[in-house]
Amino acid sequence: MSLDVRAPAATGSVPARPPCAQRPSARVKALAAFLPASFALVVGLWGIRRQNTMWGDEAVTYQLAQREPSQIWHTVQQVDLVHALHYAVIHVIFDLFGAGLLSLRLPSVLAMAAAASGVGLLGLRLAGPRAGLLAGLVFALLPQVQKYAQEGRSYALVCALIAWASCALVASISRQGRWRWAAYGLTMLLACLLHEFAVLALAAHGVTLIVSRTPKRVLRAWGVTAAGVVIGLLPLVVVSAGQSEQVSWIGGPVRPSPLLVAVVVGILCARAPLRSRGPVNVAALAVPILVLPGALLLTASLVKPLFVDRYVLFSDIGIALLLGAWLDHMCRLRPARYTPTVYIAAIAALAALVPTSLSLRTPQSRSNDATAIGAAVRKQGRPGDGLLYLAGRHRTLAATYPGDTRHLTDLALAQDPVESNTLAGVELRARDIAARMMQFHRIVTVRVARADTLTDPQEKAKTDTLRHHFRERTTTRVNGARITVYVRDDGTPSKTGTPVQHLR
């Protein structure tokens, strides 16, 4: 495929490669793919254990992936179907290498390395070797990419698949072939099955083809392929729509600031006369994938809150391509007096990334710390104490390591998560919870730091019983939760204030 081909007219065919254009050598292609991948791998492995901590969403993956395949299947039919494929993948990895932090997170590190490789090749095809190399390296350094490269969830895998689907799309435009469109469609479908919001990238690809004025036969082929992806995704969408309570936690003011900053920077880069050597303009591919998914999700959030930045993590592909092409443009500027300015700006940007990169590798970079929560429960509890979760769905936060709660009695639990094929188990009726609480002198409670509205009967029974018959003894605050020990109120006056411990 030529690297000097411009976007063709809507009714014409893809033009032949101009005589002046040179096909990149295998060595150039290898460098554009290998160097960003290697760099992303090194960055991803740096501090991967995050001080041996795990946050709540990772804890869910860690717990579910250790169940038998039939148990995983029965569970996701009730809850979290959107992550079913990822749980199955991690289950296989745990079977091969054992369950642990490294085996949980390493797939994401490898996926981001593959994504960086795909971004490098995309930049090579669309804007030249230097632009591709710079785009791949920039991608690996983006804070959101660094963060989710070290997280045991599906977002890095989705990002890698969309990067390579974009490569397949570019190849399919210039060289028609059913197998190329099949590769594109299967890659996009796999990304959507890992997380259904990946379908937003499909819409961005459609916009790319339209603004690039690609031939009608290309639009038809893409339309057929896109329809196949949507049809394949439809069963997941229909069933998961009945599990919408899984995103009920999304609320409050939307904070799309990082995405908005990336959009502004990307559009400014796109205004420069960027080199374009592929079948589509680099900006025509990068701007839609940067802007459209987030814009669609923000628009949908006006009706129902759905926007979370990690759901559109693949938008970073767009900003990386634009920054890589812009840096290539700046390096080509004459007179050469601009070159030192570019170097100084690049060094300043790298220096500014250092504090963020260090922070991302600490437990405080996540909204909670399931490992610390479990350890605090173990420390505060005594053998025979009662254990209560406010609310019950947060049981997963202290269930990562069973030893943390082994000597305590879960007062509200009727069926454990594995037996009930749920994430957090099934709780007793409200009156039974209250009756069990009255049989214990000490109760350890776990409550997340954010304000939860505990209005259902079971949660109301817990809080009412604690308020009327118990008093606080101590409270320990950890990242994302507070663990409080309550003792039965025997009528003696309590001390003024409640001792509070802060654990980091």
Side-chain angles (χ1 to χ4, degrees), residues 128-277:
R130 181 168 53 193
L133 179 61
L134 289 169
L137 296 175
V138 166
F139 177 81
L141 284 173
L142 293 173
Q144 289 292 85
V145 170
Q146 291 191 57
K147 179 177 181 177
Y148 293 105
Q150 297 185 334
E151 195 152 294
R153 296 295 272 177
S154 63
Y155 309 109
L157 279 73
V158 171
C159 195
L161 288 167
I162 290 176
W164 282 95
S166 301
C167 290
L169 177 68
V170 172
S172 299
I173 295 172
S174 56
R175 289 187 177 184
Q176 291 289 300
R178 290 184 179 180
W179 72 268
R180 288 187 176 86
W181 285 111
Y184 168 73
L186 289 173
T187 307
M188 278 303 308
L189 179 59
L190 187 56
C192 293
L193 293 177
L194 278 168
H195 199 283
E196 58 192 15
F197 285 160
V199 75
L200 299 173
L202 190 69
H205 287 161
V207 172
T208 293
L209 297 181
I210 292 171
V211 301
S212 298
R213 296 180 298 169
T214 51
K216 289 183 179 179
R217 71 173 189 276
V218 173
L219 287 172
R220 281 195 300 269
W222 177 84
V224 171
T225 307
V229 172
V230 172
I231 291 170
L233 178 63
L234 201 55
L236 175 63
V237 173
V238 171
V239 178
S240 64
Q243 301 177 354
S244 59
E245 70 277 1
Q246 282 301 106
V247 292
S248 61
W249 60 270
I250 304 175
V254 176
R255 295 182 176 87
S257 302
L259 178 63
L260 293 179
V261 170
V263 167
V264 171
V265 172
I267 290 176
L268 290 175
C269 290
R271 291 178 60 85
L274 306 178
R275 176 182 291 174
S276 184
R277 306 180 62 181

Side-chain angles (χ1 to χ4, degrees), residues 314-361:
F314 50 84
S315 294
D316 282 348
I317 295 170
I319 186 62
L321 286 171
L322 290 167
L323 282 172
W326 181 80
L327 288 170
D328 173 65
H329 163 70
M330 294 301 292
C331 291
R332 289 185 288 106
L333 278 181
R334 293 293 182 268
R337 65 173 178 269
Y338 290 114
T339 303
T341 304
V342 175
Y343 290 152
I344 292 171
I347 292 171
L350 290 174
L353 279 173
V354 171
T356 300
S357 299
L358 292 171
S359 173
L360 287 172
R361 287 154 178 84

Side-chain angles (χ1 to χ4, degrees), residues 382-404:
R382 299 175 184 172
D385 282 355
L387 176 62
L388 212 56
Y389 296 92
L390 307 171
R393 65 180 176 275
H394 299 310
R395 188 169 279 105
T396 56
L397 292 175
T400 303
Y401 302 109
D404 291 337

Side-chain angles (χ1 to χ4, degrees), residues 89 94 97 100 121 156 208 259 289 430 442 444 452 465 484 493:
V89 170
F94 281 1
F97 304 105
L121 286 178
T208 293
L259 178 63
I289 205 168
R442 277 173 49 101
V444 180
D452 272 353
T465 305
T484 302

Side-chain angles (χ1 to χ4, degrees), residues 366-445:
R366 270 57 176 181
S367 59
N368 57 54
D369 183 350
T371 309
I373 293 170
V377 170
R378 183 180 66 248
K379 180 179 179 181
Q380 296 301 315
R382 299 175 184 172
D385 282 355
L387 176 62
L388 212 56
Y389 296 92
L390 307 171
R393 65 180 176 275
H394 299 310
R395 188 169 279 105
T396 56
L397 292 175
T400 303
Y401 302 109
D404 291 337
T405 59
R406 181 171 293 128
H407 301 295
L408 307 180
T409 301
D410 194 331
L411 300 179
L413 191 63
Q415 282 185 298
D416 66 42
V418 176
E419 181 186 0
S420 60
N421 292 315
T422 61
L423 296 183
V426 175
E427 296 203 331
L428 296 165
R429 293 177 300 177
R431 63 183 182 185
D432 295 332
I433 294 174
R436 289 196 75 186
M437 290 174 66
M438 294 302 295
Q439 298 172 12
F440 285 76
H441 179 70
R442 277 173 49 101
I443 295 177
V444 180
T445 66

